Amino acid sequence: MDPYDVIIVGGGPAGLSAALVLARCRRRVVVCDAGRPRNRSAQAMHGFLTRDGIDPMELLRLGREEIARYGVEFRPDVVADARCEENQLVEVVLESGQILRGRRLLLATGIVDVLPEIAGIEEYYGRSVWHCPYCDGWEHRDEPLAAYGGMREATGLALSLLSWTDRITVCTDGRTEVDEECARRIKTHRFPLRTEKIVRLEGQDGRLERIIFESGEPLTCRGMFFNTGQWQRSPLADKLGCCFDENGHVCTDARGRTGVCNLYLAGDANGDVQFAIVAAGEGATTAATIHKDLQDEERAADFERLRESG
Ligand SMILES: Cc1cc2nc3c(=O)[nH]c(=O)nc-3n(C[C@H](O)[C@H](O)[C@H](O)COP(=O)(O)OP(=O)(O)OC[C@H]3O[C@@H](n4cnc5c(N)ncnc54)[C@H](O)[C@@H]3O)c2cc1C
């Protein structure tokens, strides 16, 4: 079988958007996707122009429908391994055992948020427990909220949430180490501070009503925002020799090149602004870069052929 021009790992906004641009450049493209996009727990996606409030899964369904019209292949499978070596086709091994070969590899594999270790939190995640005020702060405007994390992270989040509400309690869930700067800010902004360990969340149908602590009064609140870190969803970038920044995000140039031969990356995995519309934009930018790099390679090969044939 002829190699693909581009193999894309990840069928979230970044991967699908890249596939659309590349297919319209008449490139032969396959998208391999394990079907675990970062925001699959959310019922509505916000801030995506013309799609504000859409079910995130519906956005991806529409995306798959669009790329199918251009003949992009879609494989609902996990890429278990990959290889990118100089002067060779890139190769990916699917969990089903199949091997695909192509000229370029694009990772659009996303990240995973570390959920706070609170019993039953999954029921609330994506409904009233969030990590991103830009994505979901507006829905909680003027409501009582909890900002969760270590003292530094929770204080930073509380300050950020002030654009949406001033009814914010900093919750450190048993982390009692004092940071002078944070303590000063908490005092200045009169944020209530709860350092007790959280026992559970209570509410109905995923809508948070109160937080129960090991000691002290329950905290009435309508939402909780957390900042407890994130990691790469896929080990592929690491396996293939990419560089990472101190937060575990993959380093790329502004056009999605990783510095590893024939390997590109777009979307949340690079740690830039983590919005779906930004991931889609990065997918499009990286697609244009890949197309241009392939064109350069093709022109060089044409030139060599013409030169040899006199
Ligand atoms: C609860 C929540 C709410 C959010 N709300 C918003 C919002 O309102 N607005 C907004 O703009 N953003 C929101 N986001 C952020 C948004 O989800 C991300 O910015 C966006 O999904 C990033 O797109 P991506 O394509 O980079 O990664 P993803 O959407 O995570 O897609 C990556 C895909 O790659 C696949 N994959 C990974 N590894 C492999 C592999 N080895 N083989 C095959 N497939 C693989 C995954 O299964 C996944 O399908 C939210 C996130 C969360 C967690």
Side-chain angles (χ1 to χ4, degrees):
M1 192 165 82
D2 281 345
Y4 294 97
D5 289 315
V6 188
I7 300 174
I8 298 175
V9 188
L16 293 177
S17 171
L20 180 61
V21 172
L22 285 161
R24 288 180 50 80
C25 296
R26 309 193 69 183
R27 296 295 177 185
R28 186 161 175 254
V29 181
V30 60
V31 177
C32 308
D33 184 48
R36 296 180 68 75
R38 181 181 176 194
N39 57 351
R40 66 190 182 287
S41 320
Q43 293 178 319
M45 194 189 72
H46 303 111
F48 199 117
L49 193 65
T50 79
R51 292 292 179 272
D52 186 48
I54 194 174
D55 176 338
M57 296 302 116
E58 175 62 3
L59 179 87
L60 300 185
R61 191 194 66 72
L62 290 169
R64 289 194 295 270
E65 200 173 271
E66 280 179 1
I67 62 171
R69 277 184 226 142
Y70 293 94
V72 174
E73 283 180 47
F74 187 85
R75 305 282 180 109
D77 203 343
V78 175
V79 171
D81 204 359
R83 204 157 1 134
C84 292
E85 277 162 26
E86 220 167 326
N87 301 322
Q88 287 190 30
L89 292 173
V90 300
E91 204 171 87
V92 307
V93 183
L94 302 182
E95 221 168 54
S96 58
Q98 203 181 355
I99 294 178
L100 308 177
R101 292 189 178 82
R103 297 169 65 193
R104 295 291 189 277
L105 180 60
L106 168 58
L107 299 181
T109 41
I111 58 111
V112 184
D113 298 282
V114 178
L115 275 185
E117 285 181 24
I118 302 173
I121 192 168
E122 291 80 8
E123 191 192 327
Y124 298 90
Y125 186 44
R127 288 164 184 249
S128 54
V129 171
W130 316 97
H131 65 278
C132 171
Y134 294 89
C135 298
D136 300 290
W138 197 87
E139 281 61 37
H140 289 287
R141 62 199 181 282
D142 299 325
E143 289 186 349
L145 299 177
Y148 178 103
M151 178 78 85
R152 271 174 159 260
E153 294 76 14
T155 307
L157 202 46
L159 290 169
S160 168
L161 282 166
L162 279 172
S163 301
W164 289 273
T165 182
D166 57 6
R167 300 162 73 193
I168 308 157
T169 302
V170 172
C171 295
T172 64
D173 197 10
R175 301 172 190 90
T176 50
E177 69 279 10
V178 177
D179 178 305
E180 293 303 328
E181 174 64 13
C182 292
R184 195 179 57 75
R185 284 172 174 256
I186 285 172
K187 201 169 155 207
T188 308
H189 290 279
R190 299 202 179 99
F191 295 134
L193 170 65
R194 301 291 301 259
T195 57
E196 309 96 301
K197 193 126 192 62
I198 293 175
V199 178
R200 64 179 181 279
L201 306 180
E202 283 186 357
Q204 279 205 333
D205 301 325
R207 286 195 300 277
L208 187 59
E209 290 172 3
R210 71 195 72 83
I211 298 176
I212 310 296
F213 298 91
E214 235 168 38
S215 59
E217 287 296 300
L219 173 69
T220 299
C221 61
R222 293 288 169 265
M224 183 169 98
F225 284 75
F226 64 90
N227 177 359
T228 41
Q230 49 183 227
W231 63 68
Q232 294 286 321
R233 181 169 293 284
S234 160
L236 287 172
D238 189 27
K239 265 189 184 171
L240 291 166
C242 290
C243 295
F244 291 81
D245 66 18
E246 66 280 7
N247 297 316
H249 297 123
V250 180
C251 302
T252 66
D253 70 10
R255 310 280 307 194
R257 296 187 185 94
T258 62
V260 174
C261 183
N262 299 329
L263 180 65
Y264 304 75
L265 181 132
D268 277 8
N270 68 18
D272 203 350
V273 176
Q274 292 181 336
F275 297 166
I277 199 161
V278 174
E282 288 176 5
T285 299
T286 309
T289 308
I290 294 174
H291 178 63
K292 175 77 171 52
D293 288 351
L294 287 172
Q295 275 184 326
D296 289 347
E297 185 178 285
E298 286 151 6
R299 281 182 198 140
D302 284 348
F303 179 77
E304 205 47 41
R305 234 185 347 262
L306 290 172
R307 202 174 58 83
E308 276 170 15
S309 64

